[in-house]
Amino acid sequence: MPRSAMVGLALIVIGAAVYLRGGSFTTKREVLKVGDVSVSAEERSPIAPWVAGLVVLAGIALVTTGARRKA
């Protein structure tokens, strides 16, 4: 199995999992800084379902191009 097909399968699995279970990422933001003391906050942002759909489509494209190269 070509490497691009394996990467494509991984993208399909990851994209489907994020789409079905939902996903989020955390960013850290500095809220207040006074001298040497700083206060930061973590913000969780959801991953939009359309992003997961794009990842699945990219995985499908990689699998099909990998299959075409092998044939």
Side-chain angles (χ1 to χ4, degrees):
M1 179 178 271
R3 183 178 293 177
S4 63
M6 290 190 309
V7 171
L9 285 175
L11 286 176
I12 292 170
V13 169
I14 291 169
V18 169
Y19 184 77
L20 294 174
R21 298 184 69 204
S24 63
F25 59 94
T26 305
T27 57
K28 197 176 247 187
R29 187 174 66 120
E30 190 174 289
V31 179
L32 177 68
K33 184 170 184 176
V34 178
D36 291 336
V37 177
S38 66
V39 177
S40 61
E42 291 185 354
E43 296 177 340
R44 291 182 60 117
S45 302
I47 298 174
W50 63 269
V51 174
L54 283 177
V55 170
V56 170
L57 288 176
I60 291 170
L62 284 174
V63 168
T64 56
T65 58
R68 286 184 187 169
R69 287 184 184 176
K70 187 175 183 180

